[in-house]
Amino acid sequence: MKIDLTDTTAGKVNKALVQGRRAIGTPAVGMVLTLVIVTDEENAYDALKAAGDASHEHPSRTLVVIKRVSRSPRDRTASRLDAEVRVGADAGTGETVVLRLYGEVADHADSVVLPLLLPDAPVVVWWPVNAPLDPAKDPLGALAQRRVTDTYSSEQPVRELAARADAYTPGDTDLSWTRITPWRSMLAAALDQVVCEVKAVEVEGEEFNPSCELLAMWLADRLDVPVKRSLSAGPGLTAVRLATSEGGIALDRADGSLATLSIDGQPDRAVALKRRDTAELIAEELRRLDPDDTYASALRFGVDRLNASAAAPPEPAPPAQDTAAAPDPSPKGEPAPDAAAPEAAAEAPTTEAAPQERAPLKKRAKTT
């Protein structure tokens, strides 16, 4: 059922929601949260479809805020609110209100949305495109316990990650982070199968894909090892390779659907690792409303620090001292001067103690 309201108010929209529920025979409100989608006209259809599919798992009241651009100076001063109320089969398992804001009211979207929020229910705000640099300070973001952005849709995703790190507030998350959940789970399970020490990591994927950077930062932050970021034609993430003390571990996905997990000394295994659509991603984010501390730690690791750690050359080993080949400065048959005796006495313990210091390292490497 659809109810169109032109030049309306938030109070009239609430009345239309009640009328719609009564008309379809469901007067009770059985929704668990309010999902506010802030988007433009171009991306509204895809965002609505994804939210409708996710509502089968999380029944919610979906408020779509579309700020219409006024073309003339006269239109910019005239405020107007148009609404489209959807209930029943047209709104999935919840309710949907499409709000189109014109003129000055577009700068005060929070005053329109606030009366339409479900009472005593959490609020999630999602920006499919054009997210603010600081979501928590946005007027709509300030109403929410959870703020979802998508760095992949920005023009410069890697720079956007740095801005997200500077402005991070508990409750912020990004769909680029959600996309790598299966990768993180699979890599953690692979490392649980082998008792080893990870020495280096390589993450391979598309050039302008923030999910690749986030996965690399997560690995560098958790393993404290150099992580190399290499490029491929995609789609998305294509491979992660770990060099360990017990051999190599590789997770390769060349076609975006089926991956191969390879561990030295074990047979290769096929793993289902398909690329998920937006509905699955937003449904996963709606499962939790608490702050994601793991995402915050990986985000704050920083792309610049990631590149610096990968480009840093290994420290050169100190040169070995060969005391046996040193010439004897004293004439043949004459004893060495007394001043050389303390130096020889000081060098002797160093030469004898060197093998004793290396032995425990070799022993630890074998028992790791």
Side-chain angles (χ1 to χ4, degrees):
M1 180 178 180
K2 294 183 181 180
I3 303 174
D4 290 326
L5 302 173
T6 303
D7 196 6
T8 186
T9 62
K12 294 179 179 178
V13 173
N14 262 323
K15 291 180 180 179
L17 286 169
V18 175
Q19 293 173 1
R21 286 198 300 269
R22 288 177 178 173
I24 63 175
T26 56
V29 178
M31 289 158 285
V32 298
L33 58 88
T34 303
L35 175 62
V36 182
I37 305 175
V38 187
T39 184
D40 53 18
E41 202 71 60
E42 179 183 358
N43 298 277
Y45 175 80
D46 293 335
L48 264 173
K49 186 177 183 304
D53 294 341
S55 69
H56 294 284
E57 185 176 343
H58 309 278
S60 59
R61 173 177 290 181
T62 303
L63 306 177
V64 184
V65 179
I66 303 175
K67 300 178 181 181
R68 299 297 298 268
V69 178
S70 302
R71 298 182 179 275
S72 65
R74 181 179 299 174
D75 292 338
R76 295 191 190 102
T77 59
S79 299
R80 195 180 86 202
L81 170 64
D82 293 345
E84 180 183 333
V85 179
R86 304 179 184 180
V87 293
D90 294 317
T93 59
E95 300 171 344
T96 300
V97 181
V98 181
L99 303 168
R100 290 182 172 87
L101 285 64
Y102 300 81
E104 294 180 352
V105 72
D107 298 328
H108 304 280
D110 54 319
S111 62
V112 178
V113 169
L114 186 59
L116 301 176
L117 301 177
L118 288 173
D120 301 326
V123 180
V124 179
V125 179
W126 171 32
W127 291 270
V129 293
N130 302 325
L133 292 179
D134 193 346
K137 291 185 178 179
D138 183 82
L140 286 173
L143 301 174
Q145 288 79 31
R146 191 80 165 165
R147 296 164 292 275
V148 184
T149 57
D150 193 355
T151 311
Y152 187 78
S153 63
S154 63
E155 294 184 0
Q156 297 178 327
V158 178
R159 285 190 182 181
E160 195 85 2
L161 287 177
R164 293 277 175 266
D166 294 337
Y168 175 80
T169 302
D172 293 352
T173 189
D174 197 278
L175 292 186
S176 297
W177 172 257
T178 316
R179 290 184 179 95
I180 62 174
T181 300
W183 285 84
R184 295 188 293 121
S185 301
M186 195 59 59
L187 291 171
L191 287 175
D192 285 342
Q193 300 179 32
V194 183
V195 180
C196 63
E197 177 185 358
V198 180
K199 299 180 179 179
V201 180
E202 179 183 3
V203 176
E204 180 185 276
E206 292 175 333
E207 182 175 3
F208 299 106
N209 192 319
S211 296
C212 302
E213 310 295 339
L214 281 170
L215 182 61
M217 290 189 290
W218 174 71
L219 289 168
D221 179 49
R222 289 296 169 182
L223 298 177
D224 194 20
V225 296
V227 178
K228 178 184 177 183
R229 172 74 168 88
S230 57
L231 304 180
S232 69
L237 271 164
T238 53
V240 176
R241 303 179 183 91
L242 294 83
T244 73
S245 57
E246 301 296 326
I249 299 176
L251 185 60
D252 288 284
R253 186 190 67 178
D255 59 356
S257 177
L258 191 65
T260 302
L261 177 62
S262 304
I263 302 177
D264 281 2
Q266 299 183 16
D268 294 350
R269 280 162 283 186
V271 180
L273 206 62
K274 72 179 185 68
R275 305 189 74 191
R276 299 181 293 170
D277 56 18
T278 307
E280 294 179 82
L281 300 177
I282 196 65
E284 178 182 331
E285 285 301 331
L286 294 180
R287 292 187 196 120
R288 57 177 302 172
L289 299 174
D290 57 319
D292 192 341
D293 296 332
T294 307
Y295 165 70
S297 180
L299 188 65
R300 286 170 174 162
F301 185 87
V303 180
D304 296 336
R305 184 180 170 191
L306 173 70
N307 297 334
S309 64
E315 296 183 1
Q321 296 181 356
D322 190 1
T323 56
D328 187 4
S330 61
K332 187 176 181 180
E334 296 182 3
D338 294 341
E343 296 180 6
E347 292 177 1
T350 304
T351 306
E352 296 175 358
Q356 297 178 2
E357 293 178 357
R358 296 192 192 101
L361 294 177
K362 294 181 179 179
K363 184 176 180 181
R364 286 199 298 271
K366 293 179 180 179
T367 58
T368 301

